[in-house]
Amino acid sequence: MQRRTFLQSASVLAAASLFSVARAAEQSAVRITLPSAGSAGSAWRPLIDSQHLNTDSTLNLNWITADPGKMQVQLSAGSLDVGVFGAVGLATLVNRGSDIVLFGPALNNHGRWIVRNDSPYKEPKDLIGKTIATTAETSETYLQARIAASLIGIDLKKDVKVIHGSPTANLALFERGDVEAIITLEPTATRLVGRGAREIARVADLWKQATGQTEDPFLVGLAASRTWFDANRETAKQLAALFERFGQAIHANPDSLKTIAQDLGIKADETQAIDLLPQRLAPAYSTRWDDGVFATIDKQIQTAVKLGLLDRTPDRTIYVKA
């Protein structure tokens, strides 16, 4: 009887110990945003896993589907540790008192101006006075497109009639012919080109044309509350290094994007779009987090202030080196 009691007690203690270990592991995991299929960020999890890019055994990732519109709330509430933000969107929040800070790379700008194949328009300036569709007015996609367009003499607020809506609604408008063009991100742009639509400009190219820079500009980076960052500096450093490694792996082997086409929201029968992924989507992934990137972020904020997209430059720098 004593032996049986001892064994039962030992089993209970062992189970409790395993539960404690599992609970501790769960609590130490980084709760990081997972963009849904149909966005460039949806490549992160499948390729990090399949290519074993997370080489640090202490970096435990808990991917959480996060609505970009609710990301600040999730970060502030503690239900999400790490999200992604762009320069202008984050600067707007910082001016309102947010403590969120950028600490690592994520995506370069991959916005595209798309028209139908039979369209007479060959460049963005041809669309002055016309109607186009794009994402919400507060989205980084639109904000950065407006900044880049302004640098080549186009004011999207005044020179073009812009309809703002969800990606699905915008596609419907475009395919019905209710708008002359659409400004959208990858991989949606590649899906449209694969179906016969025509690209007339990349937002990144407009930026480079105006600034003389040779690399695609920053779109969004890894972000967390200053409180989380200060308490988890080593984890933040590991995470920033992982995303640099991810971008470098994609640039070295862009064909790997074909293997996760379905994770990106592309159907198996969209063979033309899948074939285009390596050349069109690979440049979207950042490989650096350094002074060059910081200079671009500063330039984006300065231009946003001149355009009135920001009322002022934030009192503090919105990025840090992890």
Side-chain angles (χ1 to χ4, degrees):
M1 178 66 72
Q2 290 180 339
R3 176 179 173 78
R4 180 182 301 173
T5 302
F6 172 78
L7 291 174
Q8 289 175 338
S9 298
S11 297
V12 170
L13 289 172
S17 178
L18 288 173
F19 175 78
S20 298
V21 171
R23 184 66 180 271
E26 179 182 349
Q27 291 176 339
S28 65
V30 179
R31 295 165 297 180
I32 183 171
T33 185
L34 176 63
S36 57
S39 64
S42 57
W44 291 329
R45 181 178 186 175
L47 285 182
I48 285 175
D49 290 347
S50 65
Q51 297 193 19
H52 309 291
L53 296 176
N54 185 4
T55 57
D56 195 321
S57 60
T58 64
L59 183 60
N60 184 12
L61 302 181
N62 178 15
W63 296 94
I64 296 175
T65 301
D67 179 351
K70 299 178 180 177
M71 194 180 303
Q72 183 199 14
V73 174
Q74 290 174 298
L75 285 171
S76 299
S79 59
L80 188 68
D81 297 317
V82 177
V84 291
F85 273 96
V88 182
L90 181 53
T92 300
L93 296 179
V94 169
N95 283 346
R96 296 173 182 170
S98 171
D99 74 336
I100 295 173
V101 64
L102 295 165
F103 69 87
L107 296 171
N108 297 323
N109 197 302
H110 51 288
R112 314 273 186 160
W113 291 63
I114 305 292
V115 299
R116 285 177 295 281
N117 190 49
D118 60 354
S119 169
Y121 310 114
K122 300 184 183 303
E123 59 180 334
K125 286 186 177 180
D126 294 337
L127 290 162
I128 291 177
K130 308 302 179 182
T131 303
I132 67 174
T134 190
T135 50
E137 196 165 3
T138 56
S139 70
E140 206 67 31
T141 301
Y142 172 70
L143 292 172
Q144 295 297 338
R146 187 177 172 192
I147 287 172
S150 74
L151 295 176
I152 63 165
I154 303 173
D155 187 336
L156 288 183
K157 194 73 172 177
K158 299 176 181 178
D159 298 334
V160 180
K161 181 180 178 181
V162 181
I163 296 176
H164 299 281
S166 69
T168 302
N170 292 340
L171 281 175
L173 291 172
F174 179 76
E175 292 176 339
R176 286 202 308 261
D178 294 338
V179 295
E180 300 294 341
I182 186 172
I183 300 176
T184 189
L185 294 176
E186 295 291 1
T188 300
T190 290
R191 296 184 74 189
L192 288 173
V193 170
R195 297 173 190 170
R198 182 162 49 85
E199 179 180 310
I200 61 170
R202 296 172 70 237
V203 173
D205 289 340
L206 300 182
W207 172 271
K208 290 189 289 186
Q209 173 186 334
T211 64
Q213 293 183 341
T214 58
E215 297 184 348
D216 289 354
F218 170 87
L219 179 66
V220 294
L222 299 175
S225 69
R226 175 75 67 166
T227 302
W228 184 91
F229 176 80
D230 287 341
N232 298 275
R233 285 180 176 269
E234 183 59 32
T235 299
K237 183 177 181 179
Q238 294 168 340
L239 196 54
L242 171 60
F243 272 68
E244 285 186 4
R245 196 157 54 246
F246 177 91
Q248 291 163 0
I250 295 298
H251 285 244
N253 181 24
D255 280 351
S256 62
L257 291 167
K258 292 183 180 181
T259 67
I260 59 159
Q262 290 186 325
D263 293 287
L264 293 167
I266 300 177
K267 299 177 181 178
D269 61 356
E270 295 182 273
T271 55
Q272 287 184 309
I274 292 173
D275 287 342
L276 289 170
L277 282 175
Q279 70 185 69
R280 292 179 57 86
L281 187 56
Y285 301 103
S286 305
T287 61
R288 298 183 298 108
W289 188 247
D290 56 21
D291 289 344
V293 178
F294 302 157
T296 296
I297 292 174
D298 290 340
K299 175 70 172 178
Q300 290 172 341
I301 291 174
Q302 292 163 8
T303 307
V305 171
K306 290 180 182 179
L307 286 174
L309 296 175
L310 284 172
D311 55 4
R312 59 186 172 84
T313 300
D315 295 331
R316 68 166 176 84
T317 303
I318 67 170
Y319 50 79
V320 292
K321 185 75 172 179

